[in-house]
């Protein structure tokens, strides 16, 4: 990647999360730069999702710093901030399991995400002045535009619970993108997808990075996907980070192989 | 037949008021799974504010419909302020607490508000002026439906249609539905959940105030205790329709009102509550989640 636009967007320093006596995340350092696709991998139970939860404000970390550096704006320390505040600052996420608003239409799901960028309040909504109507119209158009990007425009008025599985996954990504983030956190976006859907997802993630100018940090178990698209890979095991590097470096790292396959037996 | 229609319309009137108040219960329950027992008191405060405003305006020579509109608007403003404060003071600090704690807080607020009005105003029944005039065009059918009943029906129906549109089509409506379905996810897509909850209380309180003013004017008296009775009935309506469901609250209210009206008309008014609650028991046996309620799976 070109070194000219290596601005750091997310900087995590010494992040630690304890649950009672259990240290689920142990002083993790991690950065994500503009234009980067970074992956966080590790065996089940390594603390990857806990890490995401700490960064996005669902948990308040026990220790360490989570710093957001939005381009052209001052740095913000976001430990313990409410998730909606963090989202408004420009970091969005999806979940491992699907968490769409299932009784709302596909379009409404996306519009909800966009609403944190609009101004109409209760009074405006009741009076429906020109400004409120224009804003709502813009939100609808924006929503359609996003749905086209992820290939869901034809389902706009379906209830999201009626979508096929792969489409639900893409809708989750679209909804997160509707909040206009500069950094998108994806928690196992390919979980449960068939190989063809995974390939499409692969292309979609690259498109988001290239066209949307959004950096991406993802947790994924599908190694083919991870190796294909990542610029950098971070490996966690038992709450600690054991390796960082390019896909090739990670493939050749004995510690990583050990974490995944167990220690090599003496033959 | 005429008697039947009369009972039907009076049941509809009664039911639409129950529905209006039940909406406040059901919206709050839908979003934070709290039965806001102090909701009836908001209704009572709405009626009391209207009473006081009426007294003042009458001195200044206003009359009839103009008083009704000014008193109604002020009652709405006051009730909204009370509803907003109630949530902020009594429920928000308990957001992470087990469900029983805010429930007890709600009962406490109900008792507090009743006694506050009792001490600050009076324990007596106060005469509330009939603000809704008898319209001339209603003359031919006045024995079937009175002007006051007509005004109540029309106002509640218009209010409920507006609420439906608000929830279906506006930004705040979508945010409310999203919060209801998955609060933590709503936060993650940037919805300010605390503000959504406040707004829900404000909307519910406004509906209760409208109900309070209309009923006080129709029945002709107010008292610090009216909120409790109205609250119990409206809560019953909300449960009947399926608590958490907005169309459910409307249907529950109307079913309850009609049952009471027919029981009072064909059996005896002493038995109207027996029929109303008997119906509640029957429906809950057959459909434990209420008429439109969805059986929810407990999340583990």
């Amino acid at each position: 990647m070109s070194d000219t636009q290596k601005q750091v967007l997310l900087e995590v320093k010494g992040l630690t999360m304890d649950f009672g006596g259990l240290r689920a995340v142990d002083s993790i350092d991690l950065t994500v730069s503009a234009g980067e696709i970074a992956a966080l991998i590790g065996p089940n139970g390594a603390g990857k999702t806990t890490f995401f939860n700490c960064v996005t404000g669902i948990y308040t970390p026990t220790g360490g710093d989570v710093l957001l550096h939005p381009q052209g704006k001052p740095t913000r320390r976001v430990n313990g901030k409410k998730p909606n505040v963090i989202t408004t600052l420009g970091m969005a996420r999806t979940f491992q399991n699907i968490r769409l608003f299932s009784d709302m239409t596909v379009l409404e799901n996306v519009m909800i995400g966009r609403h944190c960028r609009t101004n109409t309040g209760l009074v405006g909504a009741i009076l429906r002045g020109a400004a409120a109507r224009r804003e709502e119209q813009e939100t609808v158009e924006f929503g359609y535009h996003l749905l086209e990007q992820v290939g869901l425009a034809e389902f706009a008025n379906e209830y999201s619970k009626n979508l096929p599985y792969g489409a639900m996954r893409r809708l989750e990504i679209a909804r997160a993108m509707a909040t206009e983030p500069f950094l998108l956190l994806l928690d196992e976006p390919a979980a449960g997808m068939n190989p063809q859907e995974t390939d499409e997802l692969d292309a979609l993630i690259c498109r988001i990075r290239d066209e949307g100018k959004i950096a991406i940090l993802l947790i994924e178990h599908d190694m083919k996907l991870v190796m294909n698209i990542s610029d950098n890979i971070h490996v966690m095991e038992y709450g600690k980070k054991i390796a960082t590097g390019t896909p090739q470096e990670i493939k050749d790292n004995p510690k990583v192989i050990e974490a995944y396959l167990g220690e090599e037996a003496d033959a | 037949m005429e008697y039947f229609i009369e009972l039907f319309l009076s049941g509809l009137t009664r039911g639409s008021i129950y529905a209006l108040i039940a909406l406040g219960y059901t919206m709050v329950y839908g979003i934070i799974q709290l039965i806001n027992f102090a909701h009836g008191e908001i209704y009572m405060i709405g009626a009391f504010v209207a009473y006081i405003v009426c007294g003042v305006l009458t001195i200044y020579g206003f009359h009839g419909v103009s008083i009704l509109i000014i008193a109604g608007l002020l009652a709405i403003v006051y009730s909204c302020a009370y509803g907003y404060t109630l949530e902020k003071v009594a429920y928000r600090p308990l957001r992470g607490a087990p469900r029983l704690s805010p429930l007890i807080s709600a009962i406490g607020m109900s008792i507090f508000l009743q006694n506050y009005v009792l001490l600050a105003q009076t324990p007596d029944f106060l005469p509330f002026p009939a603000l809704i005039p008898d319209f001339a065009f209603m003359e031919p059918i006045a024995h079937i439906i009175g002007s006051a009943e007509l005004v109540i029906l029309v106002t509640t129906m218009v209010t409920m249609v507006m609420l439906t549109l608000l929830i279906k089509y506006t930004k705040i409506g979508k945010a409310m539905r999203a919060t209801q379905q998955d609060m933590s996810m709503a936060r993650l897509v940037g919805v300010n959940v605390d503000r959504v909850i406040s707004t829900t209380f404000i909307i519910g309180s406004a509906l209760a105030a409208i109900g309070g003013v209309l009923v006080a004017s129709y029945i002709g008296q107010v008292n610090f205790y009216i909120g409790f009775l109205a609250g119990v009935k409206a809560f019953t309506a909300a449960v009947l329709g399926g608590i958490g469901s907005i169309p459910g609250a409307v249907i529950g209210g109307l079913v309850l009102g009609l049952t009471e009206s027919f029981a009072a008309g064909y059996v005896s008014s002493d038995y109207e509550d027996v029929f109303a609650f008997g119906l509640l028991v029957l429906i809950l046996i057959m459909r434990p989640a209420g008429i439109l309620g969805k059986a929810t799976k407990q999340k583990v």
Side-chain angles (χ1 to χ4, degrees), chain B residues 45 47 49 57 61 66 71 74 94 129 132 134 157-158 166 173 210 224 231 236 240-241 244 278:
Chain B
I45 285 170
V49 169
L57 290 181
S66 61
L74 279 172
L94 297 171
I132 303 167
D134 286 324
M157 293 302 160
V158 168
L166 182 84
I210 294 171
F224 72 96
T236 309
L240 196 63

Side-chain angles (χ1 to χ4, degrees), chain A:
Chain A
M1 293 289 109
S2 66
D3 284 35
T4 45
Q5 53 153 23
K6 264 272 175 93
Q7 197 213 342
V8 172
L9 298 177
L10 170 69
E11 188 179 7
V12 178
K13 287 196 279 197
L15 187 82
T16 299
M17 182 74 210
D18 294 331
F19 294 106
L22 176 76
R23 181 149 290 189
V25 175
D26 192 354
S27 48
I28 299 271
D29 296 318
L30 189 152
T31 58
V32 182
S33 309
E36 183 183 350
I37 295 180
L40 183 61
I41 63 172
N44 286 324
K48 305 179 297 288
T49 298
T50 308
F51 175 82
F52 265 31
N53 286 344
C54 290
V55 170
T56 52
I58 295 182
Y59 298 149
T60 302
T62 320
D65 283 318
V66 181
L67 303 171
L68 277 183
H69 305 283
Q71 267 160 335
K73 284 185 202 146
T75 297
R76 292 285 297 267
R77 181 173 181 272
V78 297
N79 304 33
K81 287 264 189 306
K82 285 195 183 135
N84 57 311
V85 175
I86 296 180
T87 304
T88 313
L89 285 173
M91 179 161 61
R93 79 169 281 184
T94 66
F95 277 91
Q96 215 166 357
N97 47 343
I98 287 180
R99 301 222 1 218
L100 291 170
F101 302 120
S102 52
D103 288 331
M104 297 171 85
T105 67
V106 168
L107 181 63
E108 282 176 336
N109 264 282
V110 177
M111 288 170 73
I112 277 282
R114 166 74 176 187
H115 275 150
C116 67
R117 304 284 173 215
T118 60
N119 301 317
T120 313
L122 175 63
V123 177
I126 291 172
L127 298 179
R128 281 188 94 65
R133 277 205 305 271
R134 187 168 354 101
E135 203 171 75
E136 196 67 8
Q137 189 54 38
E138 276 169 14
T139 311
V140 171
E141 281 162 18
F142 178 89
Y144 269 110
H145 177 69
L146 257 182
L147 289 178
E148 260 161 37
Q149 282 188 335
V150 298
L152 292 174
E154 54 178 322
F155 299 121
N157 293 314
E158 290 283 341
Y159 280 106
S160 65
K161 63 184 167 199
N162 296 335
L163 289 181
Y165 183 83
M168 285 187 181
R169 284 266 171 218
R170 292 206 300 277
L171 178 56
E172 288 224 299
I173 295 176
R175 182 179 61 181
M177 282 172 63
T179 64
E180 300 191 324
F182 58 80
L183 175 63
L184 186 56
L185 272 56
L186 304 174
D187 194 347
E188 295 196 29
M193 283 188 167
N194 63 34
Q196 192 213 329
E197 285 171 331
T198 309
D199 285 345
E200 285 169 17
L201 181 72
D202 183 325
L204 175 62
I205 292 175
C206 291
R207 241 187 8 251
I208 292 172
R209 191 254 320 255
D210 299 334
E211 291 170 17
K213 303 274 177 269
I214 300 171
I216 287 161
L217 174 62
L218 61 108
I219 295 176
E220 189 47 68
H221 285 297
D222 186 321
M223 282 307 135
K224 184 165 156 264
L225 178 81
V226 169
M227 294 297 164
N228 264 344
I229 64 174
S230 308
D231 302 311
N232 280 301
I233 299 178
H234 308 268
V235 189
M236 277 178 81
E237 190 193 17
Y238 299 120
K240 291 197 174 67
K241 193 160 93 169
I242 57 170
T244 299
T246 61
Q248 197 52 50
E249 287 165 6
I250 294 295
K251 255 186 223 168
D252 300 339
N253 188 321
K255 272 168 110 179
V256 177
I257 297 170
E258 192 189 308
Y260 270 91
L261 299 177
E263 220 166 322
E264 222 170 319
D266 291 319

Side-chain angles (χ1 to χ4, degrees), chain B residues 14-34:
Chain B
R14 209 192 270 217
S16 61
I17 292 286
Y18 291 155
L20 206 56
I21 310 169
L23 283 168
Y25 278 104
T26 218
M27 285 198 301
V28 166
Y29 185 85
I31 283 191
I32 53 175
Q33 282 79 48
L34 164 75

